[in-house]
Amino acid sequence: MTRQYRITLLPGDGIGPEILAVTVDILKLIGTQLDIDFQFQEALIGGSAIDETGKPLPKETLQMCRNSDAVLLAAIGGYKWDNLPREQRPETGLLAIRAGLNLFANLRPATILPQLIDASSLKPEIVEGVDIMVVRELTGGIYFGEPKGIFETETGEKRGVNTMAYRESEIDRIAKVAFETAQKRSGKLCSVDKANVLDVSQLWRDRVTSMAEKYPDVELSHLYVDNAAMQLVREPKQFDTIVTGNLFGDILSDAAAMLTGSIGMLPSASLGLEKPGLFEPVHGSAPDIAGQDKANPLAQVLSAAMMLRYGLNEAKAATRLEKAVLEALAQGYRTGDIMSQGMKSVGCKAMGEVLLRILES
Ligand code: IPM
Ligand code: MG
């Protein structure tokens, strides 16, 4: 029987529209092959939304997302909007959609593909076999804590303030996702905090520790975030699942991404307790190469695979997509960011065509 899904597409800014177009063509093909009827609807977010409506997340966009089975986002942001007041910046739209859909759990896998081992800036023996899942809390912490703002003090000097805060319930629900994720992987979970200095981190550590009793099959460890950053580049293979707060997760997931050679390869899934989840590449909108057909669409394609697996429960389609990506790399096709000697250099569209050809064969 045909399964029907309504998917909201958010192309956003920069390279966003290019990489999403490639991905949609691929989803359409997989749909016809596996009897899945994707109904795509497109909406505005980020800078393009600011240009058209004055707001980075128009109400209609949020409404459309809420009425869909999954949201596939490309990327937002660009120089053009960098100096606007904060409520009119593209990033504010991204934070608002995460909060608006209650997407508190952000899964960011960093897996080394054997085909790309030479693309890493670290030695092959350090990165070979790395397979890390960063579980980042996404709707709390210093990104959302109050008070925040730039305030004038009595002397007239300005003071910038953000607040890192977590409630027990916020820690518990992300820890639950992390323990369950670790259970499905190798059973190792490392919680990252700054409990040697921050009270909010002490509470984080206490809650995560007390939850460990419920998961006797998971081996829990703790690291301070500075040490975790160091360990990630020193000996990344010691990690399996990492759980951490919003800001630390932002930083560590970029570092973990780079182990794999290019941030242009990494997908992510943002999940709440209910549908829809939001699926987006970890990389940004790369305004410097926008519109030039140079972007690597694979993180977007792999985000669609995460959408199929985690958002729509279509594991078979997800695997098919992931295999096609591996096959394209095995056949030597590379975009600029992962290019190495002897490989076949392709642009964004051509990479999409390679994937279509592989899927059709
Ligand atoms: C990310 C990005 C965003 C974040 C920005 C664009 C708001 O860096 O998804 O990691 O900080 O969360
Ligand atoms: Mg980031």
Side-chain angles (χ1 to χ4, degrees):
M1 223 190 57
T2 310
R3 281 94 63 212
Q4 258 189 10
Y5 302 110
R6 193 180 298 176
I7 312 291
T8 301
L9 302 172
L10 304 175
D13 310 317
I15 58 170
E18 304 163 48
I19 56 176
L20 195 57
V22 163
T23 305
V24 168
D25 283 345
I26 292 168
L27 280 172
K28 282 182 183 159
L29 176 62
I30 291 216
T32 49
Q33 291 177 333
L34 296 182
D35 209 9
I36 307 173
D37 176 13
F38 295 111
Q39 301 181 347
F40 296 108
Q41 50 186 28
E42 207 172 294
L44 290 167
I45 192 169
S48 49
I50 296 170
D51 289 349
E52 276 203 34
T53 70
K55 297 202 182 89
L57 180 66
K59 272 203 201 87
E60 303 74 55
T61 297
L62 187 56
Q63 204 44 51
M64 243 197 218
C65 291
R66 285 195 174 127
N67 290 332
S68 54
D69 294 299
V71 180
L72 193 57
L73 168 72
I76 53 101
Y79 317 123
K80 184 177 167 193
W81 306 282
D82 276 351
N83 296 315
L84 292 173
R86 184 156 312 278
E87 45 322 329
Q88 285 171 39
R89 293 223 199 133
E91 289 76 7
T92 303
L94 184 57
L95 298 186
I97 197 169
R98 289 172 179 171
L101 298 175
N102 218 352
L103 304 170
F104 66 88
N106 184 215
L107 307 187
R108 298 190 161 184
T111 311
I112 299 276
L113 305 178
Q115 293 89 341
L116 290 185
I117 209 141
D118 293 326
S120 178
S121 50
L122 297 188
K123 296 191 195 101
E125 62 269 27
I126 302 280
V127 292
E128 194 184 6
V130 162
D131 181 4
I132 298 173
M133 177 69 89
V134 179
V135 180
R136 168 188 177 192
E137 198 291 326
L138 202 61
T139 53
I142 198 164
Y143 274 54
F144 292 92
E146 301 277 351
K148 64 161 144 192
I150 299 174
F151 304 102
E152 201 153 308
T153 62
E154 286 143 20
T155 61
E157 187 187 18
K158 283 184 186 152
R159 182 164 181 262
V161 180
N162 286 93
T163 303
M164 192 186 277
Y166 274 113
R167 287 171 191 274
E168 291 178 317
S169 54
E170 289 175 305
I171 301 168
D172 292 357
R173 65 182 184 178
I174 190 70
K176 179 168 186 279
V177 171
F179 276 107
E180 287 172 3
T181 304
Q183 270 178 331
K184 288 184 211 140
R185 294 170 51 91
S186 79
K188 266 174 63 183
L189 176 63
C190 179
S191 173
V192 174
D193 60 39
K194 189 70 186 172
N196 50 346
V197 177
L198 303 176
D199 297 315
V200 53
S201 279
Q202 187 59 55
L203 183 66
W204 177 282
R205 188 173 284 220
D206 293 346
R207 295 305 293 189
V208 174
T209 304
S210 69
M211 271 182 81
E213 287 165 24
K214 282 198 224 155
Y215 301 92
D217 49 338
V218 175
E219 183 196 320
L220 174 67
S221 61
H222 302 272
L223 281 182
Y224 299 135
V225 61
D226 48 350
N227 189 12
M230 181 177 73
Q231 297 299 336
L232 262 180
V233 290
R234 193 184 75 90
E235 201 202 327
K237 269 179 265 191
Q238 68 187 283
F239 294 105
D240 181 73
T241 308
I242 294 177
V243 62
T244 189
N246 207 341
L247 179 63
F248 301 156
D250 178 46
I251 299 166
L252 293 182
S253 63
D254 268 28
M258 216 45 217
L259 299 172
T260 70
S262 173
I263 199 167
M265 290 299 301
L266 294 198
S268 84
S270 303
L271 307 170
L273 293 175
E274 287 159 31
K275 271 192 194 178
L278 180 145
F279 304 85
E280 59 171 317
V282 170
H283 64 70
S285 58
D288 52 323
I289 56 164
Q292 299 172 33
D293 195 36
K294 284 185 184 163
N296 181 352
L298 296 181
Q300 182 79 70
V301 171
L302 292 170
S303 298
M306 286 193 97
M307 173 181 88
L308 292 165
R309 188 181 305 282
Y310 295 97
L312 306 175
N313 224 349
E314 292 282 354
K316 188 172 163 202
T319 305
R320 203 181 179 97
L321 205 50
E322 287 157 357
K323 280 202 178 137
V325 169
L326 292 181
E327 180 57 28
L329 295 170
Q331 292 183 11
Y333 294 100
R334 301 283 189 275
T335 43
D337 57 318
I338 49 174
M339 185 59 195
S340 60
Q341 229 191 346
M343 296 295 143
K344 301 171 211 163
S345 170
V346 288
C348 180
K349 273 195 197 140
M351 183 62 101
E353 279 151 21
V354 168
L355 291 170
L356 290 172
R357 176 173 54 69
I358 291 170
L359 285 164
E360 267 167 348
S361 64

